[in-house]
């Protein structure tokens, strides 16, 4: 069995390298190809490892959580390095609207659907809303800022791509308080009160921001600022430093009761702010993209295998209805409402609202929550989560490339920003 797994891993690595070129400018994506391939494999009578089946996530919660966590950390570091838009309340206004309005509103609406249509308890329904909240920096490559070397034209002036990248980079971490609150309401001690909410839900986000800023400044200095070429990391042109950017801020933040996902993204943004135009950013980004493609291949193939092998056993049509409403109605409508009057403009706002890609963040938080506190109806959570990801991969994978290119060709990448400096103001504004 181990030999077969090595062979499969080799084929996946080969597919991750070749598929992006094969599907370029075609109406489907690498994640969609891997998902379909996984479903096909899952329908075959393949022997399952250790005899516990492919389709039971409860049998592999720790492994699923660790794999998804690793993929998210690498993608958050890459996403942060791609953000060349200087930080600012007004410069990031569209992203703040999505994070502060769309995300909590979506959790509430999905929780209502889970309680009303799926007959989940209120706490479990809230957990469903929380795990479906994060958009995915791993699967959103077609709609985010593609790389640090695209220049000011795309990186700073593209309201659509920058907003989606910033949103995906931050909401993976901002989902954690909602997941913990849902678990507490479901019965996991301690019971929620004002002190617990402040200390365990709110404070870790602030600590994560501070750790991220500190780690980003320190790593940025080590990459670009130190006088000695023997210790200046940028001179080595080694992509492995991306792993330090992904793991060190996370570990430090978690050790001091902070939000590790927030810390990683903030640290990467801070590193980019230290030196925006250095070619070393592209080295790091290229290495990160290679790792992300491998994670995408593994995650979507695994999800497809589980879907084909019986994850949907006990499936009810209303579960597919919920997944469809989440992807096609709830996120687009709430995102569009939040972006009314934003700097993005009408066409770009519609695209930003529609392309809220669901993916590995949902897998991580489902495994994270259920590994710590099994709740009633967890089979329903897995089915709805898997169907939502699959539908997102299908719809967004087909439409992302053509839609983004059409909007950019029509000028959707040149919004008007209301602050005096605009998007071309001081770099550290």
């Amino acid at each position: 069995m181990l030999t077969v797994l090595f062979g499969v891993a080799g084929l996946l690595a080969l597919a991750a390298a070749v598929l992006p070129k094969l599907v370029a400018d075609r109406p489907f994506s690498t994640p969609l190809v891997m998902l379909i391939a996984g479903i096909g494999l899952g329908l075959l009578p393949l022997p399952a490892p250790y005899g516990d089946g492919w389709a039971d996530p409860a049998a592999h919660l720790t492994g699923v959580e660790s794999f998804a966590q690793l993929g998210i950390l690498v993608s958050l570091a890459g996403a942060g390095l791609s953000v060349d838009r200087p930080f600012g309340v007004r410069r990031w206004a569209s992203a703040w609207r999505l994070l502060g309005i769309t995300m909590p509103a979506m959790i509430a609406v999905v929780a209502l659907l889970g309680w009303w249509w799926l007959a989940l308890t209120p706490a479990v329904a809230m957990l469903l809303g929380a795990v479906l909240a994060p958009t995915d920096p791993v699967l959103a490559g077609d709609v985010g800022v593609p790389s640090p070397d695209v220049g000011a034209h795309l990186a700073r002036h593209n309201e659509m791509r920058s907003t989606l990248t910033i949103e995906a980079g931050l909401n993976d971490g901002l989902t954690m308080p909602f997941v913990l609150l849902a678990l507490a309401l479901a019965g996991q001690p301690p019971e929620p009160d004002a002190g617990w909410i402040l200390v365990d839900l709110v404070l870790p986000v602030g600590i994560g921001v501070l750790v991220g800023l500190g780690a980003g400044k320190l790593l940025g200095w080590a990459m670009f600022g130190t006088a000695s070429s023997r210790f200046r990391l940028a001179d080595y042109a080694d992509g492995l430093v991306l792993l330090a950017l992904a793991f060190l801020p996370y570990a430090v933040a978690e050790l001091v009761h902070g939000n590790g996902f927030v810390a990683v993204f903030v640290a990467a943004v801070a590193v980019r702010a230290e030196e925006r135009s250095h070619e070393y950013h592209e080295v790091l980004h290229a290495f990160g993209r290679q790792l992300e493609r491998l994670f995408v291949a593994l995650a979507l193939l695994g999800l497809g295998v589980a879907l084909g092998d019986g994850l949907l056993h006990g499936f009810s049509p209303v579960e597919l209805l919920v997944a469809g409403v989440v992807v096609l109605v709830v996120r687009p409508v709430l995102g569009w409402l939040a972006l009314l009057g934003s700097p993005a403009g009408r066409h770009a706002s519609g695209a930003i609202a529609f392309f809220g890609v669901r993916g590995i963040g949902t897998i991580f938080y489902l495994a994270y929550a259920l590994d710590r506190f099994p709740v009633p109806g967890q089979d329903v959570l897995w089915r709805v989560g898997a169907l939502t990801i699959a539908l997102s991969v299908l719809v967004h994978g087909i439409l992302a490339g053509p839609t983004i290119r059409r909007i950019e060709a029509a000028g959707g990448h040149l919004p008007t920003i209301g602050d005096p400096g605009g998007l071309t103001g001081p770099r550290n504004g």
Side-chain angles (χ1 to χ4, degrees):
M1 176 58 69
L2 185 60
T3 302
V4 173
L5 291 178
F6 277 127
V8 171
L11 289 174
L12 281 173
L14 185 62
V18 173
L19 272 175
K21 298 178 179 62
L22 295 180
V23 302
D25 300 322
R26 289 176 171 81
F28 48 87
S29 62
T30 299
L32 179 57
V33 173
M34 298 309 301
L35 179 66
I36 294 172
I39 293 174
L41 286 174
L43 294 173
L44 298 176
L46 299 175
Y50 314 115
D52 52 13
W54 294 98
D56 182 13
H60 314 284
L61 285 177
T62 301
V64 170
E65 177 189 341
S66 298
F67 172 79
Q69 182 181 36
L70 187 59
I72 291 172
L73 290 176
V74 171
S75 67
L76 288 177
L81 288 174
S82 298
V83 178
D84 195 39
R85 173 170 293 188
F87 174 81
V89 173
R90 302 189 72 175
R91 293 189 181 105
W92 286 21
S94 296
W96 299 137
R97 290 172 180 236
L98 293 175
L99 294 167
I101 301 174
T102 302
M103 181 178 167
M106 180 172 172
I107 292 173
V109 172
V110 174
L112 178 62
L113 294 177
W115 170 75
W116 184 19
W117 288 358
L118 300 175
L120 299 174
T121 65
V124 177
M126 181 179 177
L127 180 59
L128 176 64
V131 300
L132 292 180
T135 55
D136 203 308
V138 183
L139 299 179
D142 288 337
V143 295
V145 177
S147 70
D149 72 338
V150 296
H153 171 71
L154 191 57
R156 290 200 188 94
H157 295 291
N158 193 316
E159 180 78 6
M160 179 173 50
R161 290 182 182 268
S162 292
T163 297
L164 288 167
T165 301
I166 295 167
E167 180 199 14
L170 285 173
N171 66 12
D172 272 310
L174 296 179
T175 296
M176 181 63 81
F178 294 97
V179 170
L180 295 177
L181 179 59
L183 290 177
L185 293 174
Q188 184 189 41
E191 291 190 11
D193 56 31
W196 176 82
I197 290 174
L198 177 63
V199 173
D200 282 12
L201 303 189
V202 178
L203 186 61
V205 175
I207 294 174
V209 171
L210 294 177
V211 169
L213 288 173
K217 287 288 185 181
L218 183 60
L219 288 171
W221 173 82
M223 291 180 194
F224 310 110
T226 179
S228 173
S229 60
R230 294 174 63 87
F231 295 99
R232 192 162 51 243
L233 297 176
D235 291 350
Y236 288 83
D238 195 329
L240 285 171
V241 175
L242 179 80
L243 297 181
L245 182 57
F247 299 156
L248 288 176
Y250 178 85
V252 173
E254 292 292 324
L255 286 173
V256 296
H257 194 60
N259 189 308
F261 287 163
V262 170
V264 172
F265 182 73
V266 171
V269 172
V271 166
R272 184 66 191 273
E274 285 293 301
E275 172 54 65
R276 297 192 183 279
S277 59
H278 200 286
E279 61 186 11
Y280 187 48
H281 289 302
E282 180 57 26
V283 174
L284 296 175
H285 187 271
F287 179 72
R289 288 298 293 169
Q290 289 177 331
L291 292 179
E292 286 178 23
R293 289 202 301 267
L294 185 58
F295 279 117
V296 166
L298 286 168
L300 271 299
L301 188 77
L303 179 64
V305 169
L307 287 169
D309 192 47
L311 179 62
L312 297 182
H313 179 72
F315 162 79
S316 168
V318 72
E319 295 168 359
L320 179 59
L321 178 61
V322 170
V325 168
V326 169
V327 173
L328 302 175
V329 180
V330 177
R331 159 67 190 214
V333 170
L334 293 177
W336 178 76
L337 289 174
L339 292 172
L340 287 175
S342 77
R346 182 167 57 92
H347 296 296
S349 292
I352 292 169
F354 182 74
F355 288 114
V357 183
R358 311 290 134 180
I360 294 180
T362 294
I363 296 174
F364 168 78
Y365 277 112
L366 271 173
Y368 174 92
L370 299 178
D371 193 29
R372 284 155 180 76
F373 191 72
V375 299
Q378 56 184 299
D379 290 344
V380 176
L381 298 183
W382 278 112
R383 289 195 297 267
V384 174
L387 288 169
T388 303
I389 296 170
L391 184 60
S392 177
V393 168
L394 173 64
V395 174
H396 297 138
I398 291 174
L399 296 178
T403 302
I404 297 295
R405 286 192 294 269
R406 179 174 298 180
I407 292 173
E408 288 177 343
H413 55 284
L414 294 171
T416 300
I417 302 299
D419 63 308
L423 295 178
T424 57
R427 288 179 182 268
N428 295 320

